[in-house]
Amino acid sequence: MTPEALATLHAHLLTTLADAPVETRRLFHGRGRCWPGLEQLTVDWLQGVVLVALFKETEQLEALRQMLLQIDWAGVGVRTVALQHRYLPQSTTEWLVGDAIDELTITEGGLRYLIDLGRKQNSGLFLDMRYGRNWVREQAKGQRVLNLFAYTCGFSVAAIEGGADHVVNLDMARGALSRGRDNHRLNGHDLGKVTFLGHDLFKSWAKVTHSGPYDLVIIDPPSFQKGSFLLTKDYQRVLRRLPDLLTAQGTVLACMNDPAFGEDFLIDGVTREAPGLRFVQRLENPPEFPDIDPQSGLKALVFRQG
């Protein structure tokens, strides 16, 4: 990070905030390597709250703070500015403007989500998956849906809003599933149409299969989760189970956000482990997530039986 890079960021923020989004959006995505010197920084608009995330320690930290403090935040409708140090073990958050906030309700596509601020590494909603949630909402009417690695159930909220008959959410983090219940309640959804399984997937295939078969299976795992998931080893273990989980015309949305692997990792894996599925399309990523290499960004691929 250089003084010139900070000047670029300052100008970008002033331009973007002059016409601030109505809903939650990423304002600046340095992680796509399109802005030299800013590769380790992102800025999110959380509807009156701005979250700046720094992913690597920098000698320009104080200069970054001062640049942020120079902006007339109140003049653009911002009441709180947070600087999150993602490179630290606890992802420590500084509150540069306004009071500290533990929880915040945001909207995306007219749907409401409760997110965490200042306490956890991730807020609870990955903004780059916006088009994926939109796609699920459009596809879900009358469907039985399985949401693997459900986290806080963003896909589930989109599916129920889109008219899904039932969604089964599975994640070993029961606290995340509890937040998923909150998200459904925020949107007035019938929880009788939603199942929450707080289990390790690889020890719970019987529970998952028992509620099937499914018209739509969503796979959105972490790239690495100590003791539970390793992308290069475990994704194929999920893919080979798909024939037993899907209906005859079933659809799969397989996702991956590891910059080291391109879409061929998923296409080749499905061809090998579930040859009855054919690749249909890769969903576009939102324009606010530019990447110098499209294969490094989020991959959300659609496969269908037959």
Side-chain angles (χ1 to χ4, degrees), residues 71-299:
I71 296 175
D72 178 16
W73 294 106
V76 292
V78 174
R79 64 184 184 274
T80 303
V81 178
L83 174 59
Q84 184 184 32
H85 300 268
R86 288 285 295 263
Y87 55 89
L88 295 177
Q90 301 301 319
S91 294
T92 305
T93 298
E94 286 184 69
W95 303 94
L96 300 181
V97 176
D99 297 327
I101 300 172
D102 288 336
E103 296 180 341
L104 181 69
T105 298
I106 59 172
T107 59
E108 178 195 87
L111 295 173
R112 305 174 75 199
Y113 300 91
L114 186 62
I115 64 170
D116 294 299
L117 289 174
R119 296 183 299 174
K120 300 177 181 178
Q121 185 178 75
N122 295 310
S123 68
L125 191 73
F126 293 108
L127 302 187
D128 58 349
M129 193 57 84
R130 176 161 61 94
Y131 282 4
R133 287 185 286 271
N134 289 348
W135 181 88
V136 167
R137 185 173 176 175
E138 293 166 359
Q139 302 294 318
K141 188 173 180 61
Q143 303 274 291
R144 288 188 59 81
V145 180
L146 173 62
N147 185 20
L148 297 177
F149 309 98
Y151 192 37
T152 59
C153 305
F155 281 121
S156 181
V157 170
I160 292 296
E161 188 69 19
D165 280 353
H166 197 92
V167 181
V168 175
N169 294 290
L170 186 140
D171 198 293
M172 66 186 303
R174 298 192 178 192
L177 292 180
S178 179
R179 179 49 53 87
R181 288 188 183 88
D182 295 334
N183 288 334
H184 276 291
R185 291 189 185 104
L186 274 174
N187 293 284
H189 291 163
D190 178 3
L191 286 178
K193 294 184 176 182
V194 189
T195 297
F196 303 91
L197 299 177
H199 303 292
D200 181 340
L201 172 61
F202 300 111
K203 299 177 182 178
S204 307
W205 287 115
K207 294 180 183 294
V208 173
T209 305
H210 177 73
S211 298
Y214 303 93
D215 304 294
L216 172 61
V217 175
I218 302 163
I219 314 168
D220 186 21
S223 296
F224 172 75
Q225 193 170 66
K226 187 175 181 179
S228 64
F229 193 88
L230 177 62
L231 182 76
T232 53
K233 177 174 71 75
D234 293 322
Y235 214 128
Q236 63 185 2
R237 297 171 64 193
V238 180
L239 296 177
R240 70 175 59 124
R241 292 280 187 164
L242 290 175
D244 299 327
L245 297 173
L246 288 163
T247 59
Q249 288 79 42
T251 301
V252 175
L253 177 63
C255 309
M256 180 179 63
N257 201 9
D258 189 324
F261 297 91
E263 62 185 43
D264 286 348
F265 176 87
L266 289 176
I267 294 173
D268 293 345
V270 170
T271 299
R272 182 177 60 253
E273 304 293 347
L277 289 165
R278 58 182 175 85
F279 173 61
V280 176
Q281 67 176 125
R282 176 180 174 181
L283 303 184
E284 292 185 1
N285 290 331
E288 62 268 26
F289 288 85
D291 200 297
I292 196 170
D293 178 5
Q295 292 299 321
S296 295
L298 171 67
K299 278 74 66 173

Side-chain angles (χ1 to χ4, degrees), residues 26-43:
R26 177 145 296 177
L27 294 182
F28 182 82
H29 185 64
R31 302 280 279 173
R33 297 169 294 164
C34 294
W35 284 277
L38 297 167
E39 296 87 350
Q40 302 299 328
L41 189 139
T42 63
V43 183

Side-chain angles (χ1 to χ4, degrees), residues 34-79:
C34 294
W35 284 277
L38 297 167
E39 296 87 350
Q40 302 299 328
L41 189 139
T42 63
V43 183
D44 290 334
W45 167 260
L46 306 174
Q47 295 159 256
V49 175
V50 168
L51 175 63
V52 181
L54 186 61
F55 290 80
K56 185 178 180 180
E57 191 170 11
T58 173
E59 295 180 354
Q60 296 295 318
L61 178 58
E62 185 57 32
L64 172 62
R65 287 193 188 101
Q66 292 306 314
M67 183 276 289
L68 292 171
L69 289 170
Q70 289 171 11
I71 296 175
D72 178 16
W73 294 106
V76 292
V78 174
R79 64 184 184 274

